[in-house]
Amino acid sequence: MLWDEWGVIADIILFTSNFPHSDIHALLAPDLLHQLIKGTFKDHLVDWVCSYLEETHGFTHAMEIIDDIDRRIVAAPPFSGLRHFAEGQGFSQWTGDDLKALMKVYINAIEGYVLDDMIRAFRAFLEFCYIARHDIITEDTLEDLEDALNRFHEYCEIFVSMNVRSNFALPRQHAMKHYPGLIHLFGAPNGFAPPSRNRNISRRQATVPTFKQRIDKLAASLVDFTARRMLTEPSALSHLQYFEKQLDIDNDEATCSDPSSSAGGAQTINSNHNQEAGQPDATEGDELEEEGDAIDGEQALCDIRLARTIHESIFSIDEV
């Protein structure tokens, strides 16, 4: 019986059966992304709505209704916190952020095409999901969580009565029953599934070209501002040199750790001081040791000046 129905061999006793603290439900931590957002919402409820439309209206008319649902999603008015889906729900691959944004507009999109109890099931699930995502959960919050779960199970029976589902023996939905107990043991589940390391690496790699483009735009604007006499040349060069040095942070750190770096810094200060005094530069003609192209002109360690006001004339008396 156990083997035919559940694939369990009854004669085998696991070696963990006598372990006092061995509880499989406590070993599986809550996973908001795969159990709730992607699992119950996208893979279950959204697919069940499509199956209900096809079962009730036929395949052709169901596709027309789904297209209208997509048009409703696209036509969602712009509002703070809402995302605009230019192509509706026609994604080849959904991410967690895409599904979180879809959850906010999906009920309004399907209203009128599905039964009221299906709408109530979506609402109860969204309440459960948003409560579980709280950073701080109290006893009153847990009561609201259990109430939303009970209403979700009650209204989900409509999918069985409409021949969309035969049962709800789904591991990801079953895990929702253990959320109150796991929250008591481990705290709020928000943060149990951190973003992958590969995603963080790809984001950092994508940031480097953007940073270089911004530096090029800043350099062009500084040249333009200097030509318009809105910024003096030492101030513009000091800003440009600051941003260029950010491209090689590791090299800067290695230079700071090198004992000879302090001597190089003193040499630069003395060089600037000699140029201001009209004396020849002792390092003139030497190549710069830092990476990057050399910058012609006077250098300044830090020189911040405000732009000229509109009332000041930019022409001298001789030019007029």
Side-chain angles (χ1 to χ4, degrees), residues 74-111:
V74 173
F79 190 76
S80 177
L82 292 182
R83 175 179 170 181
H84 176 68
F85 290 91
E87 301 178 357
Q89 54 178 336
F91 280 76
S92 58
Q93 183 176 1
W94 288 85
T95 64
D97 294 335
D98 296 335
L99 294 174
K100 292 176 185 178
L102 181 65
M103 291 167 63
K104 299 179 181 180
V105 298
Y106 193 74
I107 290 182
N108 295 329
I110 64 175
E111 186 177 5

Side-chain angles (χ1 to χ4, degrees), residues 267-277 298-301:
Q267 185 179 3
T268 304
I269 296 175
N270 294 332
S271 174
N272 295 333
H273 179 71
N274 294 335
Q275 292 178 2
E276 293 177 358
E298 186 179 2
Q299 299 181 358
L301 294 179

